Amino acid sequence: MTNANVQRGFSLIELLIALIVFSVGLLAVAGLQTVSKQANFEALQRTAASQIAYGMLEDMRVNGDAIGIYLAAGEMGGGARGGEPAPNCSGVSICNSAQKAAHDLWFWEQVLDGNLEMSGNAGAGGLVLPTLCVGGPAGGGAGVYTVTIAWRGSASMSNGTASACGTAGGAYGAANEFRRIMQIPTYIDPTI
């Protein structure tokens, strides 16, 4: 056996090891991209929840005469509010404060469920299994009002938030381990 034959076999082993190292590297990059997409989707959901909560609070602030209607709405999401109330309180329609509150609640549920962006017959732009709850002082007087939005996240994690918003349906896992929650509090004085 000559020295040239030994060198040929050694080159194939080096090539095989290089291919294995390269393959492991590609798998790591694919895993990193998957984790990155998951984190980006979670951030998108949190941003949408924040915008919905602030929009709802602004409608409540503007329509202080009907603050009790917002408080009495209960848990919203999944089409619980039904069809659009009449009048629709936009354009030339004239509404009283109770009609505006009913329309606001319906509108924010549509946004929450993603029904403003449709794909076929299903909403495509909202949160995943969302629930919205409004809390505030009993009787609707001046005080701190909180809009709480819960939705289903993609990964299990402990949930330290004491809010019960959305916990009854079981949509967020047996121990609500998939529940994500955002609470936005603000002071509203309906008399102003």
Side-chain angles (χ1 to χ4, degrees), residues 5-192:
N5 289 337
V6 173
Q7 288 295 323
R8 236 180 277 166
F10 187 71
S11 294
L12 290 176
I13 291 173
E14 286 177 341
L15 180 63
L16 182 60
I17 291 172
L19 282 173
I20 290 171
V21 169
F22 183 70
S23 298
V24 168
L26 285 178
L27 287 174
V29 168
L32 181 64
Q33 185 174 8
T34 301
V35 169
S36 174
K37 285 183 86 171
Q38 201 171 32
N40 190 31
F41 183 71
E42 291 279 344
L44 177 70
Q45 294 283 287
R46 186 163 297 281
T47 300
S50 173
Q51 291 175 337
I52 292 167
Y54 279 114
M56 179 79 165
L57 285 168
E58 284 306 308
D59 280 348
M60 290 169 59
R61 188 182 317 279
V62 168
N63 193 14
D65 291 342
I67 200 86
I69 295 172
Y70 295 100
L71 283 174
E75 289 189 358
M76 295 172 28
R81 307 257 357 135
E84 183 175 15
N88 70 5
C89 301
S90 63
V92 295
S93 298
I94 298 173
C95 295
N96 62 32
S97 59
Q99 291 168 329
K100 178 166 178 4
H103 193 269
D104 289 346
L105 290 168
W106 173 84
F107 173 79
W108 287 112
E109 183 179 62
Q110 296 302 302
V111 173
L112 188 72
D113 292 340
N115 292 335
L116 299 182
E117 299 175 42
M118 300 299 281
S119 176
N121 289 331
L127 300 173
V128 178
L129 297 173
T131 305
L132 184 146
C133 306
V134 178
V144 176
Y145 290 82
T146 304
V147 171
T148 303
I149 298 179
W151 68 96
R152 186 176 176 94
S154 56
S156 169
M157 58 193 287
S158 64
N159 194 341
T161 306
S163 172
C165 185
T167 58
Y172 308 120
N176 291 314
E177 68 272 16
F178 292 100
R179 184 173 78 142
R180 302 295 184 268
I181 193 163
M182 174 170 285
Q183 292 182 304
I184 307 290
T186 191
Y187 180 84
I188 297 176
D189 185 351
T191 62
I192 295 178

